[in-house]
Amino acid sequence: MTDYRVEPPVFDPSLHGKTQPHQPERPLTQEEVEAESQARIQARIQARIQAHIDTHGSLQPAPEPRQYERRADPAPSRMAYRMQRLSLTPLFRGFMRFGVPALAALGVVGFLMNNAASREMITTQVNTLRKAFEERPEFMVKAMAIDGASEKVAADIRVILPIEFPLTSFDLDLEEMRRQIGELDPVATASLRVREGGILQIDVTERVPAVVWRGPEGVFLLDETGHRVRSLLARAERPDLPLITGAGAELAVEEARRLMAVAQPLENRLRGLVRVGSRRWDLVFDRNQRVMLPAEDPVSAMRRVLALNNAQDLMERDVTVIDMRLPGRPTLRLAQEASEGLQRIRALGNE
Amino acid sequence: MSDLYETQRAMRNVRKAAMQRGVIAVLDVGTSKVACLVLRFDGSVQGYDPDGVGSLAGQSGFRVIGAATTRSRGVRFGEIDAIHETERAIRTALQSAQKMADVRVDHVIVSFSGANPRSYGLAGEVELESGPVSEGDIARVMSGADVPDYGAGREVLHAQPVNFAVDHRSGYADPRGQIGNRLAADLHMLTVDAHVIQNILYCVKRCDLELAGVASSAYVSGVSSLVEDEQELGAATVDLGGGSTGISVFIKKHMIYADAVRLGGDHVTSDISVGLQVPWQAAERIKTLHGGVVATGMDDRDMIETGGDTGDWEHDRRQVSRAELIGIMRPRVEEILEEVRARLDAAGFDSLPGQKIVLTGAGSQIPGLDGLASRILGQQVRMGRPMRVPGLPQSATGPGFSSVVGLSLFAANPQDEYWDFDIPTATYPARSLRRAVRWFKDNW
């Protein structure tokens, strides 16, 4: 097939100024033949596609080749099968759930405890944590406040409780501190607590001195139960309190106080009480007068003495000893002059 | 029959042990699929079914707790052909069923369809000593039945008493307590090739399981797909499987005949594969999606893409009409059904009072099969699906699962078999001695 169409003029420098020469008809080259057949094939394909579109309405793509290849074998291996059966065994499941974690925990603990270095590390860690917790500001005690104690007692308490503030309240042994404070003589009771604001509050009740006791070791103040309050340098420090002395006087302070209460009317003459033989009291008045009381029921004996005194001014007379030791037979010992005078009067009477 | 008696009794004891444990697996080894169900026996009778129809009238007492199906491999004609392949398929099914059940299973009951089953009718007869019929008498009459020579290399799969007669009164299902002079029994014995059972035993042992029983899949699919009055009046089950088609005939709630045709759905597929020149898998797909046995005018216009991946455009883009496909399938299906008809005729199915034929198995899902089957097998043909059992997943309720569902019913309510009775040991001497004693009593 020859193309008779006139080719459009092409600019060719070699043909400059000349008309285009006549192209003689020539046999087609190999390339042209191939191109031609290709064009024919393309035309047929186009026609076929068009026919397909006419038939089916649209051009359908060729379906994806379906994959019929064999899948991998889904069967479990014998080992996997057995493992699965094992994992379905109730005993084994229980062991895996509880036994294995317990054993693992036991193993870890045992390993750590066997190793000295790790054990030390653990204790250090624990201590550090504990310390960090205890030393939180909420738990710190910064000061001590003592209420109800005299200055001297407060100073004593500060001496026997050597606490360096600030200190965590976990390190305070309040019970032990209370015991220590209670061991102080002037302290009757003590109560300790950590007040809010980090203050160690100590409430102290002091013993109230009731008598002055002159004992073998010196002069002491005793409270009403006979407990020492403090020592005195001299009895004159507390002239307001009665003096007691003699063996075992400090053990019968209560009785002494009862006697003194009874002997109230003679108080300004009373010099003191003397315990005799750890069993009975002598009341010593000025002018060296002495009332000797029985061991049994000394209070009523004292009352009788007071009654005699009221009736006959017994104490004003020249009597040195009023002996009430035998309640049924009170005895008077006169002074030397008085007895001589009495004898003289009797002699006059006899003449 | 004695060593078989021992093995069957051993399997029966294993089954009892499994019932005590409460968990048992049932496994149907078919040609095209291996199906496995895990059953839990809790002993409780199931309560009122809100749908109004209790499965098995509340007798089942078990629940399906695991179900799995996998493609079968290495099985041809319902017999294990490549043991290791089949073992892997069984393992796959068992593993996923156990996983679903979340329980370990140690005992399994297996059914299979092939192995050339052959039915025998046995008759036995004994004189009754005195008084009512006892269990020992039943054992005696069954062990006294005349066993035919079923050939070497065969094993008895089922041996079930189907009928008892005392004197001239026949038709007893349970003759115990009846008084008479003579007890006769009819047994149905099913024998299969021994090597098939051995292969199954081997596979089960390789899966670390104990075999708790074997059953013919034709029998168990009849158990699950026949309703009660069909079993009572006489019916045949045709289980159209992949590699073989099982036939079982029931009357008076007993199987009296079982057989298998060594043709099945796989043959239809291979016909399609050859006829349409497509690969096996493509043929299977075309069969299941477009298959049929009755062609209509519409089917001529119904074009099916055959597909293919040969790379030849013309070959891969072929289309066939559905009528052509039906033309390929129908002769093969007819052949199968005619073979079934021949077997049923040989078994004397015509003489049964009920002529019901129930088509089940996955092959029965071919559209139009009921029409074709009623032309060949008789008018009373219906499609059968397995009975509803509690817990069965929806995916396992199709006709292809009638044998595995029947197997679970078989596990729950096993039929009395010959080996369920104690054989009277040393039968002859004891009897002669007793006879001598009686002779003395009678004469002096």
Side-chain angles (χ1 to χ4, degrees), chain B residues 120-141:
Chain B
Y120 298 89
L122 271 56
E125 193 175 316
V126 287
E127 294 285 323
L128 291 172
E129 302 288 321
S130 61
V133 175
S134 68
E135 207 153 301
D137 292 326
I138 296 174
R140 220 146 45 78
V141 69

Side-chain angles (χ1 to χ4, degrees), chain B residues 282-408:
Chain B
E284 181 73 32
R285 184 172 177 280
I286 290 169
K287 182 184 85 172
T288 47
L289 289 182
H290 308 286
V293 286
V294 181
T296 61
M298 177 65 192
D299 291 332
D300 285 330
R301 300 193 295 277
D302 194 355
M303 301 304 281
I304 302 164
E305 299 264 351
T306 58
D309 55 352
T310 57
D312 182 349
W313 198 83
E314 301 282 356
H315 183 268
D316 292 351
R317 297 283 296 156
R318 276 177 308 140
Q319 290 183 330
V320 293
S321 70
R322 185 153 180 261
E324 281 177 87
L325 176 66
I326 289 169
I328 293 170
M329 287 176 70
R330 182 173 172 121
R332 179 63 86 169
V333 176
E334 276 177 352
E335 185 194 355
I336 294 172
L337 292 174
E338 271 160 13
E339 192 71 27
V340 169
R341 174 81 261 167
R343 300 291 171 100
L344 286 175
D345 286 346
F349 183 65
D350 295 338
S351 57
L352 291 188
Q355 295 284 313
K356 196 85 173 182
I357 289 178
V358 176
L359 298 177
T360 186
S364 72
Q365 295 172 105
I366 305 174
L369 181 70
D370 46 350
L372 181 63
S374 63
R375 277 193 206 168
I376 297 170
L377 299 175
Q379 286 301 311
Q380 299 188 38
V381 172
R382 74 168 179 95
M383 295 293 147
R385 286 173 154 271
M387 193 174 289
R388 293 169 44 194
V389 294
L392 192 69
Q394 178 65 37
S395 58
T397 53
F401 292 86
S402 59
S403 60
V404 72
V405 171
L407 199 55
S408 61

